[in-house]
Amino acid sequence: MAYPATYRFTKDHEWVSIEGTVGTIGITDFAQQQLGDVVFVELPAVGAALRAGESFGTVESVKAVSEIFAPVSGAVTAINEKLATTPELINQDPHQAAWLVKVTLADPGQVAQLMNAEQYEQFVREEAH
């Protein structure tokens, strides 16, 4: 799968898409493949403060429970309500329909420290070996 060219990625396999001062956060296709069938997603409440590199929720699959780490800092402005009833969206469409949270960026400069799609694809190839 090609990773969206406009997204930025973490070594923990989260992505962030930036529009103005809003970041939309999700987990990557690689992450959902590693997890297997997703059965539950725990997300923070609207208004919660995320800190880059810190856990803000969990994704539970038939194999394991994995923490989700914030790629950027910011205040949560929206959560993907659909994931409460259809967590399998993460397996079906990890880069679009299965976004996790939207945040107002505390420091837009943090985005520059993340990997672009090409760097992330290389990282995944190296991790797979």
Side-chain angles (χ1 to χ4, degrees):
M1 164 177 266
Y3 291 92
T6 57
Y7 288 18
R8 293 296 188 138
F9 302 88
T10 71
K11 290 184 177 182
D12 294 313
H13 308 291
E14 288 86 19
W15 57 262
V16 62
S17 170
I18 306 297
E19 289 181 42
T21 59
V22 176
T24 301
I25 298 171
I27 66 169
T28 67
D29 183 58
F30 179 83
Q32 72 81 18
Q33 287 176 29
Q34 298 301 304
L35 284 166
D37 294 336
V38 174
V39 295
F40 182 75
V41 181
E42 179 184 300
L43 298 173
V46 170
L50 304 189
R51 293 185 54 144
E54 292 186 4
S55 173
F56 69 87
T58 58
V59 174
E60 186 175 337
S61 70
V62 293
K63 290 187 199 174
V65 176
S66 295
E67 288 188 273
I68 311 161
F69 297 94
V72 291
S73 298
V76 176
T77 58
I79 62 168
N80 190 341
E81 303 280 353
K82 291 180 189 167
L83 297 178
T85 54
T86 52
E88 63 273 12
L89 270 178
I90 288 179
N91 298 117
Q92 297 161 2
D93 192 3
H95 297 150
Q96 293 290 324
W99 60 274
L100 302 174
V101 297
K102 292 183 186 284
V103 299
T104 300
L105 300 175
D107 177 5
Q110 289 177 328
V111 176
Q113 298 165 15
L114 302 172
M115 291 179 277
N116 64 28
E118 190 176 310
Q119 291 166 326
Y120 180 72
E121 286 173 19
Q122 178 67 32
F123 174 73
V124 169
R125 278 195 298 274
E126 290 169 3
E127 197 168 80
H129 291 138

